[in-house]
Amino acid sequence: MVITSTVTNPEEQGQSLPCTFASRYVRDPVPKFKIPEKSIPKDAAYQIINDELMLDGAPRLNLASFVTTWMEPECDKLIMASLNKNYVDMDEYPITTELQNRCVNIIANLFNAPVGEDETAVGVGTVGSSEAIMLAGLAFKRKWQTKRKSEGKPYDKPNIVTGANVQVCWEKFARYFEVELKEVKLTEGYYVMDPVKAIEMVDENTICVAAILGSTMTGEFEDVKLLNELLTKKNKETGWDTPIHVDAASGGFIAPFLYPDLEWDFRLPLVKSINVSGHKYGLVYPGVGWVVWRSKDDLPEELVFHINYLGSDQPTFTLNFSKGSSQIIAQYYQLIRLGFEGYKNIMGNCLENARVLKEGIEKMGRFDIISKDIGVPLVAFSLKDSSQHTVFEIADHLRKFGWIVPAYTMPPDAEHVAVLRVVIREDFSHSLAERLVADIEKVLKLLDTLPDVHSTRAAHVTAITSETSEKVKKSALETQREIALYWKRLVDGKKLGAC
């Protein structure tokens, strides 16, 4: 790069530097573990960081993520204009607070909360579904503890019943807040929580049963209605009042528009709280989630704090305090801009593009489709024959075309099943679906020319037993599990995009 500059004193205040001038500052290593000794021009700082960020993957080609990667320019303007607003300053920014309350009411009505015309829904904006789940879990735990105390019973061993397919935030909640996580194991071909098995695990210490509307693994909706029926029956038999929480992080902005007759929400009496991610199919950039409760009775008052040192009495129920207002404003923009019609059209388009991708993958004859037609618009698929090559190799080679497609093994007890998953978002078009199919075909043709990576770990692996020293042929299932475990360890060592 040829560097030309007329700036004689780059440290002079008020001077702006040509972007190419920053190159002279890149010759020396940029400190990574301590603050630099001296300042550098703003242009240089910008170019240093911008150059490094060029090595990130392209967000729109990141098919691992459910998170929104595109919004309209008008909404971008609103976001930029509100970046310096601290949401917690409710007295100073009352309109922003009002917009959040409107969002809560709109979402609660989408989920059929029993809220009267003159009533306000109970809920709060969060930084994502992880925080929302923490808050909902705390409410369940506190209500259970209060009841147990009043009955003179032990209250030190709470548990939650979930499927093994839950997102990691549930494990975080259980560990951080000392709640046992009782997981219903999966089986091959059935990759969501079985309501019958879940009810069998419920006991007097169960603070709630968590159902997933849109499994991270396959996009499938769990049968919340059947869970409600079975749990209602068990509650009557035992005298308990175990409730249900619905984790609708991915499916909460899909089901109301595409499957309005599906009963999964507050229409079911035992559903006491629901969380949803605004930054997924709520169509907002990362940093916003929502949790709503059926009624005020389901959110213990002692968990709500009241502060007055920002100008007025303000109730707050969050894990953090300060946070930006921009994502709240962006969510309100999407809700009024798109309306029911707009969301329905976008979700329907995502579903259609998922169908195009699914059909293209099926035509290859090399894959089994794991995902279901009803659920989150995604395509999860596994190789019919993994004896020569694996889905992990396919994911690795797809990166050469720019695609970020995750490969992973299923949760217990289906760890031997390894899949690829493509999430269909608003900005994933019909033409991109066709292009991805073409690139997958190219990768398969390439892999067919390469030697079997398992040749040293042959399909019929032999092992010498310590007792008889005989060579024993492993079954095909054992070999498949061994291969999946090998690649899982390899992939775990890499930095993968978050869901």
Side-chain angles (χ1 to χ4, degrees):
M1 180 184 293
V2 178
I3 301 174
T4 57
S5 176
T6 57
V7 179
T8 57
N9 181 11
E11 306 301 332
E12 182 179 345
Q13 293 184 356
Q15 291 278 11
S16 63
L17 305 178
C19 194
T20 54
F21 190 88
S23 300
R24 68 186 292 180
Y25 294 92
V26 185
R27 293 171 182 169
D28 296 325
V30 179
K32 295 182 176 65
F33 304 109
K34 62 179 182 179
I35 192 169
E37 293 284 337
K38 297 181 179 180
S39 303
I40 62 174
K42 59 181 182 293
D43 310 70
Y46 170 83
Q47 186 171 340
I48 289 170
I49 298 172
N50 188 63
D51 287 350
E52 287 201 59
L53 290 175
M54 289 172 61
L55 299 176
D56 270 347
R60 288 187 60 186
L61 297 182
N62 179 10
L63 306 182
S65 178
F66 291 83
V67 174
T68 297
T69 53
W70 179 86
M71 296 187 74
E72 291 177 324
E74 290 77 10
C75 192
D76 290 343
K77 292 178 183 178
L78 289 172
I79 290 173
M80 294 304 298
S82 57
L83 280 177
N84 59 353
K85 287 186 179 180
N86 187 358
Y87 170 74
V88 78
D89 293 338
M90 299 179 184
D91 195 52
E92 288 78 2
Y93 308 121
I95 301 304
T96 299
T97 302
E98 173 61 22
L99 296 187
Q100 187 229 218
N101 294 339
R102 292 179 191 175
C103 288
V104 168
N105 280 282
I106 291 172
I107 293 169
N109 278 284
L110 266 181
F111 297 166
N112 294 290
V115 180
E117 292 184 4
D118 298 328
E119 294 180 322
T120 301
V122 180
V124 66
T126 63
V127 294
S129 275
S130 291
E131 183 188 5
I133 285 169
M134 303 285 174
L135 298 178
L138 283 172
F140 283 120
K141 182 180 178 182
R142 183 57 58 91
K143 279 186 67 73
W144 174 82
Q145 287 178 325
T146 300
K147 181 181 179 183
R148 298 284 290 184
K149 288 179 183 178
S150 67
E151 296 172 343
K153 297 178 180 178
Y155 53 90
D156 59 335
K157 294 182 179 180
N159 68 68
I160 286 181
V161 175
T162 70
N165 57 312
V166 292
Q167 219 263 0
V168 69
C169 58
W170 284 98
E171 298 178 41
K172 289 182 179 180
F173 169 77
R175 189 176 303 178
Y176 295 166
F177 296 102
E178 298 180 322
V179 176
E180 179 189 2
L181 192 65
K182 300 171 71 173
E183 295 184 338
V184 178
K185 304 302 181 184
L186 310 185
T187 57
E188 185 172 354
Y190 196 89
Y191 303 113
V192 292
M193 179 179 70
D194 184 337
V196 175
K197 294 180 179 178
I199 297 304
E200 292 174 354
M201 300 178 74
V202 172
D203 58 32
E204 63 179 351
N205 293 320
T206 302
I207 63 176
C208 78
V209 180
I212 312 298
L213 194 78
S215 170
T216 299
M217 306 297 170
T218 63
E220 187 175 354
F221 292 166
E222 292 182 346
D223 194 339
V224 188
K225 184 177 181 180
L226 176 58
L227 179 66
N228 182 84
E229 292 172 357
L230 296 176
L231 190 54
T232 298
K233 181 179 179 181
K234 184 158 188 173
N235 283 343
K236 288 181 179 179
E237 293 173 350
T238 60
W240 304 333
D241 56 357
T242 308
I244 295 173
H245 174 85
V246 179
D247 179 356
S250 299
F253 276 108
I254 294 172
F257 305 107
L258 295 185
Y259 313 107
D261 295 329
L262 181 67
E263 295 184 35
W264 63 274
D265 51 20
F266 291 120
R267 284 171 288 184
L268 303 175
L270 291 182
V271 174
K272 302 299 183 182
S273 55
I274 301 172
N275 69 276
V276 64
S277 291
H279 57 221
K280 292 183 179 177
Y281 289 96
L283 306 180
V284 179
Y285 289 138
V288 62
W290 304 91
V291 56
V292 290
W293 284 269
R294 170 179 286 274
S295 68
K296 292 181 180 179
D297 294 337
D298 298 306
L299 175 58
E301 178 61 31
E302 61 264 33
L303 293 179
V304 180
F305 289 83
H306 293 265
I307 59 171
N308 61 11
Y309 49 78
L310 292 176
S312 65
D313 179 69
Q314 299 173 9
T316 174
F317 180 41
T318 56
L319 293 182
N320 61 335
F321 194 62
S322 295
K323 68 177 179 181
S325 297
S326 54
Q327 262 62 13
I328 299 287
I329 294 170
Q331 182 72 82
Y332 186 66
Y333 171 90
Q334 293 288 52
L335 291 172
I336 66 168
R337 159 77 174 96
L338 297 174
F340 193 96
E341 177 189 36
Y343 270 98
K344 182 178 180 179
N345 290 339
I346 290 172
M347 299 311 152
N349 189 54
C350 289
L351 198 63
E352 173 61 19
N353 290 331
R355 183 192 61 80
V356 170
L357 179 62
K358 174 189 172 184
E359 290 179 354
I361 291 172
E362 284 179 323
K363 288 179 181 178
M364 298 179 198
R366 304 279 291 270
F367 298 99
D368 289 320
I369 303 298
I370 303 298
S371 50
K372 305 297 183 182
D373 291 334
I374 296 179
V376 177
L378 61 79
V379 183
F381 51 105
S382 63
L383 275 169
K384 291 183 178 180
D385 180 8
S386 297
S387 63
Q388 301 297 316
H389 298 283
T390 71
V391 293
F392 300 96
E393 291 176 86
I394 295 173
D396 192 43
H397 282 281
L398 281 174
R399 279 182 174 258
K400 298 173 184 177
F401 292 92
W403 303 106
I404 302 173
V405 178
Y408 52 87
T409 55
M410 300 298 282
D413 284 331
E415 301 98 328
H416 60 284
V417 179
V419 303
L420 292 158
R421 186 197 67 205
V422 176
V423 177
I424 309 300
R425 300 189 303 269
E426 178 187 9
D427 55 359
F428 187 84
S429 64
H430 188 289
S431 59
L432 282 178
E434 293 177 335
R435 170 55 57 189
L436 177 57
V437 169
D439 288 342
I440 292 175
E441 288 181 323
K442 291 177 184 177
V443 168
L444 290 174
K445 290 179 180 178
L446 173 63
L447 290 177
D448 287 341
T449 67
L450 298 178
D452 177 6
V453 295
H454 308 310
S455 56
T456 59
R457 312 169 61 85
H460 296 289
V461 181
T462 60
I464 299 180
T465 63
S466 58
E467 296 179 354
T468 64
S469 297
E470 289 183 349
K471 291 185 176 181
V472 181
K473 288 187 177 181
K474 291 187 177 180
S475 68
L477 182 58
E478 289 175 318
T479 302
Q480 191 175 4
R481 284 177 172 169
E482 182 179 285
I483 291 169
L485 180 60
Y486 170 79
W487 280 100
K488 184 177 186 296
R489 289 172 177 168
L490 184 65
V491 171
D492 283 347
K494 298 181 179 181
K495 293 181 178 179
L496 299 176
C499 295

